[in-house]
Amino acid sequence: DTAVSQTPKYLVTQMGNDKSIKCEQNLGHDTMYWYKQDSKKFLKIMFSYNNKELIINETVPNRFSPKSPDKAHLNLHINSLELGDSAVYFCASSQLARGDTQYFGPGTRLTVL
Amino acid sequence: KQEVTQIPAALSVPEGENLVLNCSFTDSAIYNLQWFRQDPGKGLTSLLLIQSSQREQTSGRLNASLDKSSGRSTLYIAASQPGDSATYLCAVSNDYKLSFGAGTTVTVRA
């Protein structure tokens, strides 16, 4: 059983389009995250939700909107895609919101043409 | 703002040699430090988590040390194997978030 899963694995789209990435965890964790890994391989936190409530929003453009329908799911919707949005997006989860081991999904490679 | 630096950026060693990976961070007010492994095209796998009150943590051939006051951690991998080839990421936990280094890419030659 996959602990943290993401769909799709690859996403290729045109500038200006709107797209969503889905994330699900079956670990029973209370906290979920979205990270962006750019071409230089730096991983940066974007958002964090604890029990469906937003606790971290790291100066991400408001074209990015996370949605948590329940504790097991955290989706990422991106409006008006730009070339600079091309990256690998990782979802992660942990039991605690602070100082706990995080479990990562396999990543979604987004390419904006 | 926490900044995490990993040295070296890349490392190539023959099989059997011990690996030493370094991580430094600027803000010593951390909750813990984690070491992750990332394989190409895959997600991250947690290797070790050291709480801020601990000095080291061990798992099999892996040993990680933490000197919080000087802002340093070292990951030791004993008797390296080709299967250890991957990128190793260091991440420190402040408040509610992890700050990552850029990673050290390790190649173990058979």
Side-chain angles (χ1 to χ4, degrees), chain A residues 9 35 37 41-43 45 55-56 58 90 97-102 104-106, chain B residues 31-32 34 36 38 41-44 46 49 89 93 95-98 100-102:
Chain A
K9 188 167 174 62
Y35 288 87
Q37 188 173 41
K41 304 298 184 186
F42 268 105
L43 260 166
I45 182 77
I55 57 172
I56 294 176
E58 278 290 298
F90 287 98
R98 186 164 57 183
D100 198 11
T101 299
Q102 294 188 17
F104 281 74
Chain B
Y31 284 96
N32 59 43
Q34 298 180 52
F36 291 87
Q38 184 174 23
K42 301 264 179 82
L44 279 68
S46 179
L49 183 152
L89 297 165
S93 173
D95 207 356
Y96 288 91
K97 61 184 180 182
L98 283 181
F100 282 84

Side-chain angles (χ1 to χ4, degrees), chain A residues 27-39:
Chain A
L27 298 167
H29 288 166
D30 287 339
T31 310
M32 296 186 72
Y33 311 82
W34 277 110
Y35 288 87
K36 178 180 180 181
Q37 188 173 41
D38 60 25
S39 57

